Structure formats: structure tokens, C-alpha cells
Amino acid sequence: LKPCFGKLGPERSMAGFSAEEERPLLTGRTAEGKVKSNGIVQTLLNITFVPWLTFSLTGILFLICFHYLPHLVVALMSSWAALCLCGLIVGKRPKGPNERQGLERSALILCLVAIGSGSVVGYWNYTKTFGVSDFWALGEHRQYTNVWPDELADAHRDASVLVFAEGTRPDVRLTAWYSSSSEGKFCVAPIVTKTSEYSGVMNVQYFITGKDCCGDNAFTCGDAAIPGAHAGIVLQPKTDYLHAALFGKPDIDYYTEAAAMAGAKYGINVAKNPIFVDWAADIQAVEHSMWQKAKAYCLYSSLLSLPLLFAVALAAQAAESMVIAQGAAKDQKFDPKV
């Protein structure tokens, strides 16, 4: 740690400054060498607080506001990032051991990091399967009841919830899955009634879905193992190019591949655009769970970001103090009075 923190004793460096005077940002001393009461930890916490608050508020904005006011959220984040950039451009790097300017630069850089990372994390929480966007969609789209599995999927394109007729269940004998080395196994099973199990050519309009929950003649996705379950939360299609650029293909694309594989494997007729659902015995409980998971993701990411930002602040301050010390040593070397 000596290259960053310097010696703790009163020895003088070759440039004529004491170790504490050369690196005031890390030792908690002012340019005059007076000891500050807060110390290095308090200084770094001061630098980290505003960026951490920025990261947390960004996640909250994506959780609560982005679905209905996306332009406002983008405008707020862009404005804050522009202010930070202006502060970095207008503010000059200190030539001497100026603690205040170094702290300001580090805080502005961390704010930019917090805006970028907070936006990515918040957007993932919003757009992931059964994330914030799907939670808000439950109240925006229609909920159909007494739906029969042979009804055309096109008749329920605006659905958020489908409550199927009594006796409807997945036919586990027709289970198929699409395996991805990075994403896992995407499982599907056609929805049928007790009297329409596979016994020849079948037209399938609806599929139950899940990840890593199926095998040969086994399907435990969602509440498929509960005998009385006969409802499903619709997976909303996502055509967001930003999601594809940041996180890859949406889950529904993999489920579509799995449905096509089921049709080819078992000789069933799969609708051109089938509806995929998450099988549920209690829709309200699943809706509540979706919201709780979204809030927990926002909270945990906020808590995790604090030590990460603290570490980045420590590295930034170390680099900043070394640059300041080098500049001070250079000025002292060429000072004609020395």
C-alpha cells in the first residue's frame, strides 16, 4: 500500500513534501498538513453517498415510473449525466495537492458510473420475463375465463390472464424443451383437456412454459403438479431491440423454438403464433410474488452497489492522489526558489 498511501512517518520526500502532504486525499489531511477529523473512510463514504443514491433512485424510477413515463425517466437520467459531464469538462484537474477538486472529480465520475450501471440493472428488472413490465401488464390487458384449449390463440391476443375450463391440464407426454448453454432449458407442454389427450393429430394453441423444470415424461413447471390448477399468466411478447442488444434474445423466442420442436417430434399441429403461459393455481398470489420479487431485486442491487462503489471510489482516489502528488513534485522540482 506504500505507493498509494505513502509513509506514515514525518519523513520528507525528495520533492520536499511530507508523505501526508503529497497524498492528502488518501491520508485525510489538508494541503497544510492538518489532520482532518473524518479520516480516509469518512472521506470515501462522502464520495460514495451521492453516486449510491443516484444508483438507488435510478432503480426505483425503473420500478415505479418507467412503464408509464419512460420519456421522463430517460430525460432525468440524461440531464443528470449531462450535468456530471459538464462538471468534469469545466472543472480543471488540480495542479497541486487540492483536496476539494479531487473529491469533486471522483464524485462526478462515480455518479456517471452509477447512472450507467443503475440504468442497465433497472432496465433488466423491468424487461425480464415476469418482471416489472409483465406485472403492470396484468392490469392493462384483459383476463379471459372458461377458455377451451382448442379456441384459437388469435382470439386472445390481448390477454394477460387465461382461466381455462375445468379439467384443463398439461399433457406431459408431449413435453419438449430447447437447451441453451448460457440460458438453461426452456420447457413447454401443450394445454389439453382430460378428454382430448394426444391420440393422433392435434392442434395446439397454448403451451405451458418454465425453465429447467422438465424431462422425459416429466413436467413440473409452475403449478403444473397441482391437480386443480387451470389458469395461466400470459408471457407478453417483447420486441424491444434494446433488450436484445443488452441481454440477448427474450425468453419467448426460446419457447417458440421449443414449441416447434414439440410439433416436429410428436407430429402435432402447432399454431403459427401460440400463446405461452405460466401455469398457476392462484393468480393473485403469483401477481403478488412478481411485485415482491421486483422490489427485492431493486433493494438487493442497491445494497450490493454500496460496497462496489466504495471500492471504485478507493481506486479513483488512489489514482487521483498519485496524479496530484506527481504534479506537486514536478512543480517543486522546477521551482527556482528550491
Side-chain angles (χ1 to χ4, degrees):
L1 296 177
K2 286 184 177 180
C4 295
F5 289 89
K7 297 180 179 180
L8 297 179
E11 295 89 354
R12 291 280 175 173
S13 67
M14 294 180 62
F17 289 96
S18 68
E20 290 84 356
E21 291 172 329
E22 288 182 355
R23 298 173 175 86
L25 299 179
L26 287 177
T27 59
R29 293 176 178 265
T30 61
E32 291 78 13
K34 297 180 180 180
V35 179
K36 297 176 65 178
S37 60
N38 52 10
I40 177 60
V41 175
Q42 184 64 40
T43 301
L44 290 176
L45 286 176
N46 292 339
I47 300 172
T48 307
F49 177 73
V50 174
W52 174 75
L53 188 62
T54 298
F55 181 94
S56 302
L57 290 177
T58 301
I60 293 174
L61 285 174
F62 276 93
L63 179 69
I64 298 176
C65 303
F66 185 76
H67 187 77
Y68 295 104
L69 299 170
H71 296 92
L72 177 61
V73 174
V74 173
L76 289 174
M77 294 298 98
S78 301
S79 300
W80 182 222
L83 287 175
C84 294
L85 285 174
C86 289
L88 287 174
I89 295 173
V90 174
K92 297 180 179 179
R93 180 183 293 275
K95 296 182 179 180
N98 189 326
E99 180 181 18
R100 181 178 178 181
Q101 293 184 18
L103 294 177
E104 290 175 352
R105 287 180 59 84
S106 298
L108 289 173
I109 292 173
L110 282 179
C111 281
L112 289 174
V113 173
I115 293 171
S117 58
S119 297
V120 172
V121 171
Y123 185 70
W124 165 248
N125 191 27
Y126 173 80
T127 193
K128 66 179 180 178
T129 301
F130 295 122
V132 179
S133 62
D134 289 331
F135 170 79
W136 293 120
L138 288 176
E140 295 177 344
H141 297 275
R142 294 183 61 182
Q143 299 186 10
Y144 291 90
T145 59
N146 199 34
V147 178
W148 289 89
D150 57 355
E151 294 183 25
L152 295 179
D154 289 338
H156 305 106
R157 289 297 172 195
D158 59 346
S160 62
V161 174
L162 294 175
V163 180
F164 290 89
E166 289 286 346
T168 302
R169 64 181 189 83
D171 191 341
V172 297
R173 298 179 303 172
L174 304 180
T175 298
W177 60 87
Y178 180 92
S179 296
S180 172
S181 58
S182 59
E183 299 291 338
K185 190 160 59 173
F186 294 83
C187 307
V188 297
I191 298 176
V192 298
T193 60
K194 289 182 178 179
T195 58
S196 63
E197 286 191 355
Y198 175 65
S199 58
V201 178
M202 178 192 298
N203 295 318
V204 178
Q205 302 288 325
Y206 308 92
F207 283 91
I208 301 174
T209 64
K211 291 185 67 174
D212 301 320
C213 52
C214 63
D216 294 331
N217 295 323
F219 190 85
T220 58
C221 302
D223 292 335
I226 299 178
H230 59 96
I233 297 177
V234 177
L235 274 70
Q236 301 299 329
K238 294 179 172 63
T239 58
D240 191 345
Y241 295 105
L242 180 59
H243 179 280
L246 291 176
F247 312 116
K249 294 169 59 176
D251 289 353
I252 197 169
D253 289 352
Y254 293 108
Y255 291 128
T256 302
E257 296 287 348
M261 293 172 63
K265 182 177 181 179
Y266 300 110
I268 59 178
N269 294 328
V270 178
K272 183 178 180 181
N273 294 304
I275 290 179
F276 299 97
V277 301
D278 181 49
W279 206 238
D282 188 340
I283 296 297
Q284 292 184 347
V286 174
E287 182 179 1
H288 178 74
S289 176
M290 290 170 60
W291 182 241
Q292 293 301 319
K293 289 179 180 179
K295 291 193 299 182
Y297 183 90
C298 184
L299 175 62
Y300 294 151
S301 62
S302 176
L303 295 176
L304 181 61
S305 69
L306 185 58
L308 295 178
L309 287 171
F310 185 86
V312 175
L314 180 61
Q317 285 299 95
E320 190 76 22
S321 63
M322 292 180 66
V323 172
I324 293 174
Q326 290 175 1
K330 184 177 180 181
D331 292 343
Q332 184 70 15
K333 181 178 180 180
F334 292 101
D335 191 346
K337 297 180 181 179
V338 177

Short mmCIF file of all heavy atoms in Angstrom, two decimals, residues 2-30:
data_model
loop_
_atom_site.label_atom_id
_atom_site.label_comp_id
_atom_site.label_asym_id
_atom_site.label_seq_id
_atom_site.Cartn_x
_atom_site.Cartn_y
_atom_site.Cartn_z
N LYS A 2 2.19 1.16 0.15
CA LYS A 2 3.02 2.35 0.24
C LYS A 2 2.94 3.24 -1.00
O LYS A 2 2.96 4.46 -0.88
CB LYS A 2 4.47 1.96 0.50
CG LYS A 2 4.70 1.50 1.94
CD LYS A 2 6.18 1.22 2.17
CE LYS A 2 6.42 0.81 3.63
NZ LYS A 2 7.86 0.54 3.87
N PRO A 3 2.90 2.65 -2.24
CA PRO A 3 2.82 3.55 -3.40
C PRO A 3 1.60 4.45 -3.39
O PRO A 3 1.61 5.51 -4.00
CB PRO A 3 2.79 2.56 -4.59
CG PRO A 3 3.44 1.33 -4.07
CD PRO A 3 3.05 1.25 -2.63
N CYS A 4 0.47 4.01 -2.74
CA CYS A 4 -0.75 4.81 -2.73
C CYS A 4 -0.84 5.69 -1.50
O CYS A 4 -1.22 6.85 -1.57
CB CYS A 4 -1.97 3.89 -2.78
SG CYS A 4 -2.10 2.96 -4.30
N PHE A 5 -0.48 5.14 -0.32
CA PHE A 5 -0.71 5.86 0.91
C PHE A 5 0.53 6.60 1.41
O PHE A 5 0.43 7.49 2.24
CB PHE A 5 -1.18 4.89 2.01
CG PHE A 5 -2.54 4.37 1.80
CD1 PHE A 5 -2.75 3.22 1.04
CD2 PHE A 5 -3.65 5.03 2.31
CE1 PHE A 5 -4.01 2.74 0.83
CE2 PHE A 5 -4.91 4.55 2.11
CZ PHE A 5 -5.09 3.39 1.35
N GLY A 6 1.72 6.20 0.94
CA GLY A 6 2.93 6.85 1.41
C GLY A 6 3.29 6.40 2.79
O GLY A 6 2.63 5.60 3.43
N LYS A 7 4.42 6.90 3.27
CA LYS A 7 4.85 6.54 4.61
C LYS A 7 4.03 7.30 5.64
O LYS A 7 3.60 8.42 5.41
CB LYS A 7 6.34 6.86 4.78
CG LYS A 7 7.24 6.04 3.84
CD LYS A 7 8.69 6.39 4.06
CE LYS A 7 9.59 5.56 3.15
NZ LYS A 7 11.01 5.90 3.35
N LEU A 8 3.87 6.67 6.81
CA LEU A 8 3.07 7.28 7.86
C LEU A 8 3.90 8.19 8.75
O LEU A 8 3.36 8.95 9.54
CB LEU A 8 2.41 6.19 8.72
CG LEU A 8 1.42 5.29 7.97
CD1 LEU A 8 0.86 4.25 8.92
CD2 LEU A 8 0.32 6.11 7.35
N GLY A 9 5.19 8.08 8.66
CA GLY A 9 6.06 8.90 9.49
C GLY A 9 6.21 10.30 8.95
O GLY A 9 5.71 10.66 7.88
N PRO A 10 6.97 11.15 9.63
CA PRO A 10 7.11 12.55 9.22
C PRO A 10 8.20 12.76 8.20
O PRO A 10 8.60 13.89 7.93
CB PRO A 10 7.45 13.24 10.55
CG PRO A 10 8.21 12.20 11.32
CD PRO A 10 7.59 10.89 10.95
N GLU A 11 8.77 11.64 7.63
CA GLU A 11 9.88 11.82 6.70
C GLU A 11 9.47 12.67 5.52
O GLU A 11 8.35 12.61 5.05
CB GLU A 11 10.36 10.45 6.19
CG GLU A 11 10.95 9.57 7.27
CD GLU A 11 9.87 8.74 7.92
OE1 GLU A 11 8.71 8.97 7.57
OE2 GLU A 11 10.20 7.89 8.74
N ARG A 12 10.41 13.37 5.02
CA ARG A 12 10.18 14.19 3.84
C ARG A 12 10.53 13.42 2.59
O ARG A 12 11.47 12.61 2.59
CB ARG A 12 11.04 15.46 3.91
CG ARG A 12 10.60 16.43 4.99
CD ARG A 12 9.42 17.22 4.52
NE ARG A 12 8.89 18.07 5.57
CZ ARG A 12 7.95 18.97 5.39
NH1 ARG A 12 7.41 19.11 4.20
NH2 ARG A 12 7.51 19.70 6.37
N SER A 13 9.79 13.68 1.51
CA SER A 13 10.11 13.07 0.23
C SER A 13 11.16 13.90 -0.47
O SER A 13 11.52 14.99 -0.03
CB SER A 13 8.85 12.97 -0.63
OG SER A 13 8.44 14.26 -0.98
N MET A 14 11.63 13.38 -1.60
CA MET A 14 12.64 14.10 -2.37
C MET A 14 12.09 15.40 -2.91
O MET A 14 12.84 16.34 -3.19
CB MET A 14 13.13 13.22 -3.53
CG MET A 14 13.89 11.97 -3.06
SD MET A 14 14.45 10.98 -4.44
CE MET A 14 15.55 12.16 -5.24
N ALA A 15 10.74 15.48 -3.08
CA ALA A 15 10.17 16.70 -3.62
C ALA A 15 10.03 17.77 -2.56
O ALA A 15 9.68 18.90 -2.87
CB ALA A 15 8.80 16.40 -4.22
N GLY A 16 10.25 17.44 -1.29
CA GLY A 16 10.16 18.46 -0.25
C GLY A 16 8.86 18.41 0.52
O GLY A 16 8.71 19.14 1.49
N PHE A 17 7.92 17.56 0.12
CA PHE A 17 6.67 17.42 0.84
C PHE A 17 6.74 16.20 1.74
O PHE A 17 7.43 15.24 1.44
CB PHE A 17 5.49 17.23 -0.14
CG PHE A 17 5.15 18.47 -0.90
CD1 PHE A 17 5.66 18.68 -2.17
CD2 PHE A 17 4.32 19.43 -0.34
CE1 PHE A 17 5.35 19.82 -2.86
CE2 PHE A 17 4.00 20.56 -1.05
CZ PHE A 17 4.51 20.76 -2.31
N SER A 18 6.02 16.24 2.85
CA SER A 18 5.87 15.02 3.63
C SER A 18 4.93 14.08 2.91
O SER A 18 4.22 14.48 1.99
CB SER A 18 5.30 15.36 5.02
OG SER A 18 3.97 15.79 4.90
N ALA A 19 4.93 12.81 3.32
CA ALA A 19 4.06 11.82 2.66
C ALA A 19 2.62 12.21 2.77
O ALA A 19 1.82 12.00 1.87
CB ALA A 19 4.28 10.44 3.28
N GLU A 20 2.20 12.79 3.94
CA GLU A 20 0.81 13.19 4.10
C GLU A 20 0.47 14.37 3.22
O GLU A 20 -0.64 14.49 2.71
CB GLU A 20 0.55 13.55 5.57
CG GLU A 20 0.57 12.35 6.51
CD GLU A 20 2.00 12.01 6.94
OE1 GLU A 20 2.94 12.68 6.41
OE2 GLU A 20 2.18 11.10 7.75
N GLU A 21 1.44 15.27 3.00
CA GLU A 21 1.16 16.43 2.18
C GLU A 21 1.08 16.05 0.72
O GLU A 21 0.35 16.66 -0.05
CB GLU A 21 2.27 17.48 2.37
CG GLU A 21 2.24 18.11 3.75
CD GLU A 21 3.46 18.99 3.98
OE1 GLU A 21 4.51 18.69 3.43
OE2 GLU A 21 3.31 19.98 4.70
N GLU A 22 1.81 15.00 0.32
CA GLU A 22 1.78 14.60 -1.08
C GLU A 22 0.47 13.93 -1.44
O GLU A 22 0.01 14.04 -2.56
CB GLU A 22 2.92 13.62 -1.35
CG GLU A 22 4.30 14.31 -1.35
CD GLU A 22 5.39 13.29 -1.68
OE1 GLU A 22 5.04 12.10 -1.79
OE2 GLU A 22 6.53 13.68 -1.82
N ARG A 23 -0.13 13.22 -0.49
CA ARG A 23 -1.33 12.45 -0.78
C ARG A 23 -2.44 12.82 0.19
O ARG A 23 -2.88 12.01 0.99
CB ARG A 23 -1.04 10.95 -0.72
CG ARG A 23 -0.01 10.53 -1.78
CD ARG A 23 0.39 9.07 -1.59
NE ARG A 23 1.28 8.64 -2.64
CZ ARG A 23 2.60 8.82 -2.61
NH1 ARG A 23 3.16 9.41 -1.60
NH2 ARG A 23 3.34 8.40 -3.62
N PRO A 24 -2.92 14.05 0.13
CA PRO A 24 -3.92 14.49 1.11
C PRO A 24 -5.24 13.79 0.96
O PRO A 24 -5.99 13.65 1.90
CB PRO A 24 -4.04 15.98 0.82
CG PRO A 24 -3.67 16.11 -0.62
CD PRO A 24 -2.61 15.10 -0.85
N LEU A 25 -5.56 13.30 -0.26
CA LEU A 25 -6.87 12.71 -0.47
C LEU A 25 -7.01 11.37 0.22
O LEU A 25 -8.09 10.98 0.63
CB LEU A 25 -7.12 12.54 -1.97
CG LEU A 25 -7.12 13.83 -2.78
CD1 LEU A 25 -7.34 13.50 -4.24
CD2 LEU A 25 -8.16 14.79 -2.27
N LEU A 26 -5.91 10.64 0.35
CA LEU A 26 -5.98 9.32 0.95
C LEU A 26 -5.63 9.34 2.44
O LEU A 26 -6.01 8.45 3.17
CB LEU A 26 -5.04 8.36 0.23
CG LEU A 26 -5.52 7.93 -1.15
CD1 LEU A 26 -4.48 7.05 -1.81
CD2 LEU A 26 -6.83 7.21 -1.06
N THR A 27 -4.89 10.33 2.89
CA THR A 27 -4.50 10.35 4.29
C THR A 27 -5.44 11.16 5.13
O THR A 27 -5.36 11.15 6.35
CB THR A 27 -3.09 10.94 4.43
OG1 THR A 27 -3.09 12.26 3.89
CG2 THR A 27 -2.06 10.09 3.71
N GLY A 28 -6.37 11.91 4.51
CA GLY A 28 -7.31 12.71 5.27
C GLY A 28 -6.69 13.98 5.80
O GLY A 28 -7.15 14.53 6.79
N ARG A 29 -5.63 14.50 5.16
CA ARG A 29 -5.03 15.75 5.58
C ARG A 29 -5.29 16.83 4.54
O ARG A 29 -5.49 16.55 3.37
CB ARG A 29 -3.51 15.60 5.76
CG ARG A 29 -3.12 14.70 6.94
CD ARG A 29 -1.62 14.54 6.99
NE ARG A 29 -1.23 13.72 8.12
CZ ARG A 29 -0.88 14.20 9.31
NH1 ARG A 29 -0.90 15.50 9.52
NH2 ARG A 29 -0.52 13.38 10.27
N THR A 30 -5.26 18.05 4.95
CA THR A 30 -5.42 19.17 4.05
C THR A 30 -4.08 19.51 3.44
O THR A 30 -3.05 18.90 3.76
CB THR A 30 -5.95 20.39 4.80
OG1 THR A 30 -5.01 20.75 5.81
CG2 THR A 30 -7.29 20.07 5.46
#
